[in-house]
Structures are given as C-alpha cells and as structure tokens.
Amino acid sequence: MPRTRPPYPPECRQEAVRLVQSGGRSEAQVARELGVAGETLRSWVRQAEVDAGEREGLTSEEREELRRLRRENRVLRRSGRS
C-alpha cells in the first residue's frame, strides 16, 4: 500500500538540498550524514533544480496538480459506472 504522506518533512528535504548545493560536501556524504538513501537525496536535488527553472521537467506544483486531476478522473470514472 502506498504511503499517504512523505516520510521526510519538507523542511528536512530543503535543508538536505541546501547542504548539497552549498558545495561543501558531496551528495553521498550528505546522504550518509542525514541517514537518507543516496538516490532519494539525488531526486530531491533534481526536483529542486526543476522547481528553480534550472532543469527541464514538471515542477512540484505541476506534479501535484497532475496527481489531483488523475485522482479526480478515477473518482469520476467510478461514479459513471454505477
């Protein structure tokens, strides 16, 4: 069953990304220090770059809207089957 909320609070994610982007330590070092999986930290950094317009992709807001719309479509399809 999928998790209903992220296991790390947004403040924790932001701080981890800041530590990586400050350039003092590698992603691997920051991940070890914080007890976060390396790939998890890399995905947070990539998403922060997308949100900042530094990388192509869907922003966090766009991802959330897409999730909401997909959920809404599922509900509408189910109610149409009744």
Side-chain angles (χ1 to χ4, degrees):
M1 186 161 130
R3 293 186 174 151
T4 57
R5 62 182 172 84
Y8 299 99
E11 302 80 26
C12 174
R13 293 175 183 220
Q14 291 167 356
E15 179 63 14
V17 169
R18 188 191 65 74
L19 289 171
V20 170
Q21 291 177 337
S22 69
R25 292 171 284 202
S26 70
E27 285 181 358
Q29 287 174 313
V30 172
R32 271 193 306 275
E33 290 171 10
L34 298 177
V36 175
E39 187 54 39
T40 298
L41 181 57
R42 278 188 287 284
S43 71
W44 294 347
V45 170
R46 280 192 306 267
Q47 189 62 53
E49 290 170 350
V50 169
D51 290 346
E54 300 167 1
R55 182 187 280 257
E56 289 290 316
L58 293 176
T59 65
S60 295
E61 288 179 5
E62 291 168 332
R63 285 182 184 279
E64 183 54 40
E65 181 180 14
L66 185 56
R67 247 184 246 115
R68 183 186 59 77
L69 291 170
R70 285 179 175 162
R71 190 172 27 248
E72 185 178 318
N73 280 338
R74 275 194 309 273
V75 169
L76 290 172
R77 283 189 195 115
R78 286 184 195 137
S79 66
R81 293 181 189 166
S82 306

